[in-house]
Amino acid sequence: MSVHASSRRNLLRASGLAGLVMAGSAVATGSAQAAEPALAGDVQRVDTVAELRALNTQPLDDGAQVLVAGYHAPGDGGAMAVRWDRKAGTAHNGGTVIAPAGGKPGRWVQLHNGTVDFRTFGHFDTEEPADAALDAMIADTSVHRIEAHTDLRFTQRHLWNRSHIELDFGGHRMVTDGIEKNTHDNPFGAVLSFRGTVTGTTVKHALSGKVIELTDTFPVPDAAAFEVGQWWSVQVDPVAGGGGDERELQKLVEITEIVDGGHIRIGYLNGWELAEGRRLTWTRIEPVLNTHIRNLVFEGAGPDEYTGSHPVSFEYAVGCDVSGIHATGSFWPVVMRRWCTRFRTEECSLKNPPTVDYGGAGYLTQQIYCLYGRVADCTTSNVRHLNDLTASAYCTVVNCHGDGDDAGGNPFTTHGQYEHDLLFDGNSGLMDIANSGAQWGISAKRITVRRHVCSWFTANTKITDLTLEDITVIARPTFDQAGTLTVNADGAQVRGCTARTFAVAQRSSRSTRPTVISDCSFELPAGAVLVQTPVTAPVHFVRCTFKGVDGVILRGVGPVHFTDCTVTGAENAAPLSIGSADLRIDGGTYDNTGVELSAVRDQRITVTGGTRLTGSNKAKALLGRAAGNATLTWDISSLTSTATDSGTAHIRIADGTNHYAATGSRFTGGTLHLAPRALESVLHTSCVERGTKRTAMPEDSNSVRTEGNLTL
């Protein structure tokens, strides 16, 4: 094939490669670099790569430049500029390095500005796998951006440690039919896997003193073993007597300062206190840095862990982002991360993975031992999890939405491996925090969820200082008809939330802040347990609305305080059954409901602040107690109680041992029943009784005072 020559100006105008040619040696790759830019007369043109390989290279000067108009045909998108390197012997890869036909010496080296296209390797569709081309581009350190402009097929599971590169698939399809077999239980066997290098440098030691929470300074045997700017993985030994994977600390951290000979500072404020004597293991890591994957439509292949495929994994990586991946049928997580710090996963989606039952499979993204991550603007349909944060900290999940979660898992979850300081904002879908089992510790701290919509939300394990704001839980007949919201009474703050069923549990007591539920609305089913048996912490309901209650139970022994709440009973409803050792009702309205103390233990009830009781209930007593021998103390002031029928008691005390005091209260209609045999002391004074019948009242004595009331 003859070589076509023309003027430099016409060549550049026709080829669209003016920038590359004019750059000359500045964009040469590998070892083939010209001493001087090519002269105008040196630039030649061929139509295809086949023509290029067939050229007679004997008369060419070293460094001669050729414009290739297309890979298979002119204008097919595979156009490139190349330069001749007579001495090069680099392996032919068909794209960045092209050998002459017939095994002749020398190589054509693609000229580029750091961006390389699959089409310059001859890949325009899914017919032939593009794995070799991808490996060649990744291996070339002069390539910093890889672009795809067509659909592609991959049949290998690649693993690299390449930093500072971006893979942009341009919104085109990646198909993986015929992909090589994966190994057992390997979520890191992705098509595109990046893994930093774990060095042999380790430091193991027992802590010489307590490491307090929220410190970034750690004692080490010899600070000289560390250097500022290095990256290390650090983990503590498992919790004594705990689960096999229960550790408070597992992170990839940067050394930011050598404080002194025995202390280093790291780029992480530790979330959990570590006791003296706990053992730490530090391992120096050479992480993958600033490698990004963008704009991919992924089609998975295979129904199981061996034949299934998934697109992306990062391990020991810093600053590596993923965006615009839309997957169908991905087996393992679409974006799998472990030991990652500073990253973004944005505008990604997953539909219909092969399974939602196999542990670890069918996720959009999972992060293990991760720091400073952001997951945003993602969606899922019919998956196990949209997002899983395991042993991770200081991460944010924003504007993500999961549907089709009836038979799958919850879109939002954490394992409970001591996660801390996580924020979920403006999401929708089932949520389950720190609930994967005792193996990991079922612990988390300072988790904040706001503006979330779902039909089921449970956070009742060892979750400390949980904050919920504007959570809406709407019962759904295809999943949880109760519309359940459950929290752990360990510093929980629940504000402005709505649910049908709400429950307070307790598995831990680490917090110093109170558990407060304020400005919320609940519609509890009959017999619902509002405060569960293990609760010993104080629980405070403030300005909450409870609708249609019927026999709601508060079993826990811990103090319960209602402030300005509105409680409305269902028709002929049973009263609230209260097991708390200390119940305080301060203001609010209770209509067709009332309170019955369970008397399973000694109890105290305080009603004050202008509380209003109205209507009646199934027990025919607005304030009463169950039978039993427990001693109950009644302290009632500023109560307004109105019974709607003559047989309903405002207060009925007929059993056990009781100390009763009511002052400054108003009773209208109904009855007062204070059985003398059940009362050790009585003070009933300064009250107004309008149309109220005393069906039982003790005589005045040294321990009984009932004078000074107004009876109308």
Side-chain angles (χ1 to χ4, degrees):
M1 181 66 66
S2 62
V3 179
H4 306 287
S6 66
S7 72
R8 179 179 177 85
R9 181 177 300 172
N10 290 337
L11 277 172
L12 299 184
R13 183 182 299 118
S15 69
L17 297 173
L20 288 175
V21 174
M22 293 176 68
S25 62
V27 295
T29 63
S31 61
Q33 295 193 10
E36 297 291 336
L39 299 175
D42 294 332
V43 180
Q44 303 175 62
R45 175 180 65 83
V46 296
D47 285 340
T48 66
V49 170
E51 290 185 16
L52 177 71
R53 298 190 70 189
L55 280 178
N56 179 10
T57 58
Q58 281 298 113
L60 294 178
D61 294 334
D62 198 35
Q65 299 172 4
V66 175
L67 301 182
V68 185
Y71 202 93
H72 299 299
D76 65 6
M80 59 181 135
V82 296
R83 62 186 300 276
W84 176 242
D85 187 340
R86 183 177 296 278
K87 297 179 181 180
T90 310
H92 168 83
N93 61 33
T96 54
V97 179
I98 300 172
K104 298 175 183 178
R107 294 292 185 267
W108 293 103
V109 180
Q110 184 182 155
L111 298 174
H112 59 78
N113 59 3
T115 298
V116 181
D117 183 341
F118 279 94
R119 293 175 298 181
T120 65
F121 283 78
H123 292 288
F124 297 87
D125 52 39
T126 61
E127 290 300 313
E128 295 295 328
D131 300 277
L134 179 57
D135 279 334
M137 289 184 279
I138 293 286
D140 187 342
T141 56
S142 71
V143 175
H144 299 292
R145 178 177 170 84
I146 298 171
E147 293 183 353
H149 294 268
T150 66
D151 296 347
L152 296 169
R153 178 180 168 215
F154 294 90
T155 59
Q156 296 177 19
R157 302 176 189 272
H158 302 267
L159 177 60
W160 309 287
N161 64 353
R162 174 69 197 274
S163 294
H164 304 294
I165 191 165
E166 183 164 26
L167 283 70
D168 190 335
F169 291 87
H172 296 284
R173 294 163 59 235
M174 175 189 288
V175 300
T176 55
D177 49 295
I179 193 167
E180 65 180 309
K181 186 178 179 180
N182 199 0
T183 56
H184 171 61
D185 196 25
N186 181 24
F188 295 94
V191 177
L192 312 172
S193 294
F194 291 86
R195 187 177 191 267
T197 301
V198 180
T199 74
T201 303
T202 61
V203 175
K204 299 181 179 182
H205 65 103
L207 289 171
S208 57
K210 179 174 67 176
V211 175
I212 63 173
E213 180 181 358
L214 222 63
T215 185
D216 50 14
T217 302
F218 281 72
V220 291
D222 181 8
F226 302 83
E227 294 181 12
V228 172
Q230 289 179 338
W231 288 88
W232 293 70
S233 67
V234 56
Q235 71 174 20
V236 68
D237 59 336
V239 174
D245 293 307
E246 187 173 353
R247 307 171 192 265
E248 302 97 319
L249 175 62
Q250 288 173 291
K251 300 293 185 294
L252 177 64
V253 297
E254 183 180 16
I255 308 302
T256 60
E257 183 182 353
I258 307 301
V259 178
D260 56 38
H263 293 84
I264 59 173
R265 177 168 282 118
I266 63 176
Y268 165 58
L269 292 171
N270 183 36
W272 300 84
E273 182 178 290
L274 303 174
E276 180 181 353
R278 295 291 298 280
R279 297 193 62 83
L280 293 185
T281 299
W282 302 80
T283 303
R284 191 170 67 81
I285 304 295
E286 296 173 0
V288 170
L289 300 170
N290 303 321
T291 288
H292 313 303
I293 302 174
R294 318 277 191 199
N295 305 323
L296 171 64
V297 176
F298 180 82
E299 296 180 4
D304 56 46
E305 61 169 322
Y306 298 107
T307 62
S309 61
H310 60 297
V312 175
S313 74
F314 284 103
E315 191 171 21
Y316 300 109
V318 176
C320 295
D321 299 339
V322 176
S323 63
I325 295 186
H326 301 287
T328 302
S330 176
F331 186 84
W332 293 112
V334 174
V335 184
M336 181 72 200
R337 299 182 188 269
R338 184 166 64 185
W339 299 104
C340 291
T341 300
R342 296 201 300 262
F343 60 87
R344 289 172 175 258
T345 300
E346 297 177 325
E347 298 178 345
C348 294
S349 68
L350 171 63
K351 294 184 294 185
N352 303 326
T355 178
V356 296
D357 298 318
Y358 191 95
Y363 297 15
L364 174 61
T365 182
Q366 181 172 34
Q367 293 84 203
I368 303 176
Y369 322 146
C370 288
L371 275 176
Y372 311 136
R374 176 182 172 87
V375 179
D377 306 320
C378 294
T379 60
T380 58
S381 295
N382 311 321
V383 309
R384 183 179 180 93
H385 299 313
L386 186 155
N387 181 85
D388 183 354
L389 288 160
T390 294
S392 298
Y394 303 117
C395 294
T396 301
V397 182
V398 180
N399 191 36
C400 292
H401 306 280
D403 54 55
D405 49 8
D406 289 343
N410 2 306
F412 305 94
T413 190
T414 79
H415 259 47
Q417 197 172 358
Y418 292 86
E419 298 87 24
H420 69 91
D421 297 285
L422 306 177
L423 171 64
F424 298 84
D425 192 359
N427 306 302
S428 65
L430 305 182
M431 177 168 277
D432 181 1
I433 299 174
N435 198 28
S436 290
Q439 176 181 341
W440 295 277
I442 57 173
S443 295
K445 181 186 292 183
R446 292 189 296 272
I447 310 298
T448 298
V449 185
R450 61 194 187 200
R451 296 190 290 272
H452 192 96
V453 177
C454 61
S455 59
W456 182 73
F457 189 127
T458 181
N460 60 352
T461 53
K462 296 179 181 179
I463 303 168
T464 302
D465 292 344
L466 173 71
T467 300
L468 304 183
E469 298 179 355
D470 191 18
I471 309 300
T472 301
V473 183
I474 300 175
R476 193 168 71 206
T478 54
F479 185 75
D480 176 23
Q481 298 183 29
T484 303
L485 170 61
T486 309
V487 300
N488 183 41
D490 186 10
Q493 302 271 301
V494 182
R495 298 188 286 269
C497 298
T498 302
R500 184 180 180 210
T501 302
F502 177 73
V504 179
Q506 186 172 1
R507 301 284 293 275
S508 58
S509 54
R510 295 165 169 154
S511 180
T512 59
R513 76 178 191 177
T515 294
V516 180
I517 299 92
S518 61
D519 302 297
C520 295
S521 175
F522 307 115
E523 191 170 353
L524 306 175
V529 178
L530 179 60
V531 178
Q532 297 178 359
T533 302
V535 178
T536 59
V539 177
H540 193 175
F541 296 93
V542 181
R543 296 182 302 277
C544 290
T545 298
F546 299 86
K547 301 177 182 178
V549 300
D550 183 0
V552 169
I553 303 168
L554 289 77
R555 287 200 178 111
V557 66
V560 176
H561 188 177
F562 290 90
T563 298
D564 293 332
C565 292
T566 300
V567 183
T568 304
E571 184 177 354
N572 196 33
L576 302 175
S577 176
I578 308 291
S580 169
D582 187 358
L583 171 66
R584 181 180 180 91
I585 300 175
D586 189 0
T589 300
Y590 298 76
D591 183 43
N592 289 325
T593 176
V595 170
E596 180 179 85
L597 301 178
S598 66
V600 296
R601 57 182 60 89
D602 291 350
Q603 295 177 274
R604 181 184 190 93
I605 177 173
T606 302
V607 181
T608 188
T611 303
R612 293 179 176 272
L613 304 180
T614 60
S616 184
N617 58 36
K618 190 174 184 178
K620 296 298 184 180
L622 300 180
L623 293 176
R625 61 163 289 166
N629 296 321
T631 298
L632 272 58
T633 300
W634 307 71
D635 189 357
I636 299 169
S637 62
S638 303
L639 167 67
T640 298
S641 180
T642 303
T644 54
D645 65 77
S646 60
T648 296
H650 301 285
I651 302 170
R652 183 168 65 207
I653 301 175
D655 299 285
T657 301
N658 299 271
H659 297 275
Y660 167 86
T663 61
S665 297
R666 181 181 294 271
F667 304 97
T668 302
T671 67
L672 283 172
H673 188 91
L674 307 177
R677 61 182 177 79
L679 290 156
E680 284 199 357
S681 64
V682 174
L683 176 63
H684 186 86
T685 189
S686 301
C687 296
V688 176
E689 302 171 30
R690 179 183 293 274
T692 300
K693 181 179 180 180
R694 294 184 173 185
T695 56
M697 184 69 72
E699 298 290 335
D700 283 4
S701 66
N702 291 336
S703 59
V704 176
R705 292 289 185 270
T706 61
E707 71 276 5
N709 299 292
L710 179 61
T711 303
L712 302 175

